[in-house]
């Protein structure tokens, strides 16, 4: 058995050292396990939010994968060690997941944005991944203060 690789820890958060392809494969495994895992892709600004936002910090503490989106994390790891090999940008991870999920085994859901933007994003994803199952919904502004709208969002996503 090979020894476990030491993780790069920045501001108290261990950062996973994975390629986009390996991270996408791990996310698909987590989806199959249906544990409700959280995946985060921090950049430098996230670490500023982590200092002042307890809810944001709590989500990061629960994350199963913390993947380095920002180049500043890669640079910091090279200075502090152990060194991360490469960035794993959230957008690249999302696109790799779409390719993996286009087999029809799982669906994705795009929530939010200005009305109509979610349909544009869905159409663009479907041009690249025609077999991908994509649901969408764009709630009105202020939904976070409207319990009826929050309930509707949960119903739409679950449907």
């Amino acid at each position: 058995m090979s020894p476990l690789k030491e993780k790069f820890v920045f501001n108290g958060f261990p950062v996973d050292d994975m390629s986009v392809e390996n991270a996408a494969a791990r996310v698909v495994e987590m989806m199959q396990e249906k544990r409700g895992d959280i995946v985060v892709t921090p950049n430098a600004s996230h670490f500023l939010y982590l200092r002042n936002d307890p809810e944001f910090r709590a989500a990061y503490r629960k994350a199963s994968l913390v993947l380095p989106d920002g180049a500043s994390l890669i640079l910091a790891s090279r200075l502090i060690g152990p060194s991360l090999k490469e960035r794993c940008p959230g957008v690249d991870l999302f696109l790799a997941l779409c390719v993996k999920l286009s087999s029809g085994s799982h669906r994705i859901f795009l929530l939010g944005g200005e009305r109509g933007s979610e349909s544009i994003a869905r159409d663009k994803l479907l041009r690249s991944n025609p077999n991908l199952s994509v649901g969408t919904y764009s709630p009105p502004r202020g939904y976070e203060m409207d319990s009826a709208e929050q309930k509707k969002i949960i119903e739409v996503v679950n449907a």
Side-chain angles (χ1 to χ4, degrees):
M1 177 183 277
S2 64
L4 291 175
K5 183 181 182 242
E6 184 182 2
K7 283 192 177 186
F8 172 62
V9 178
F10 190 77
N11 253 12
F13 290 91
V15 181
D16 294 289
D17 191 14
M18 289 188 177
S19 68
V20 170
E21 188 61 31
N22 287 343
R26 180 64 192 123
V27 171
V28 170
E29 288 173 6
M30 291 187 310
M31 291 171 70
Q32 291 167 339
E33 293 166 6
K34 296 182 181 181
R35 297 183 326 198
D37 292 272
I38 296 172
V39 177
V40 294
T41 55
N43 56 33
S45 66
H46 286 207
F47 285 98
L48 296 175
Y49 296 133
L50 286 165
R51 273 197 257 165
N52 302 316
D53 187 330
E55 288 181 51
F56 197 61
R57 200 168 37 254
Y60 262 70
R61 293 257 183 256
K62 291 179 185 173
S64 299
L65 283 178
V66 178
L67 302 165
D69 186 298
S72 57
L73 285 176
I74 302 300
L75 179 59
S77 76
R78 291 180 181 156
L79 294 172
I80 302 168
S83 183
L84 297 167
K85 288 186 212 72
E86 61 188 276
R87 289 177 60 221
C88 187
V91 68
D92 294 350
L93 175 60
F94 176 74
L95 294 174
L97 275 170
C98 287
V99 169
K100 289 189 175 301
L101 299 177
S102 65
S103 66
S105 59
H106 291 85
R107 300 176 301 243
I108 65 164
F109 196 91
L110 304 176
L111 176 65
E114 294 295 323
R115 291 219 183 265
S117 64
E118 75 285 358
S119 297
I120 294 167
R122 179 196 62 223
D123 294 346
K124 187 171 182 175
L125 285 172
L126 290 174
R127 280 194 294 277
S128 303
N129 306 284
N131 295 322
L132 186 65
S133 177
V134 183
T136 65
Y137 181 64
S138 183
R141 288 183 189 258
Y143 72 89
E144 61 277 2
M145 304 305 245
D146 181 344
S147 60
E149 185 61 36
Q150 291 175 10
K151 183 178 178 190
K152 179 179 179 180
I153 290 169
I154 292 168
E155 291 170 355
V156 170
V157 170
N158 286 337

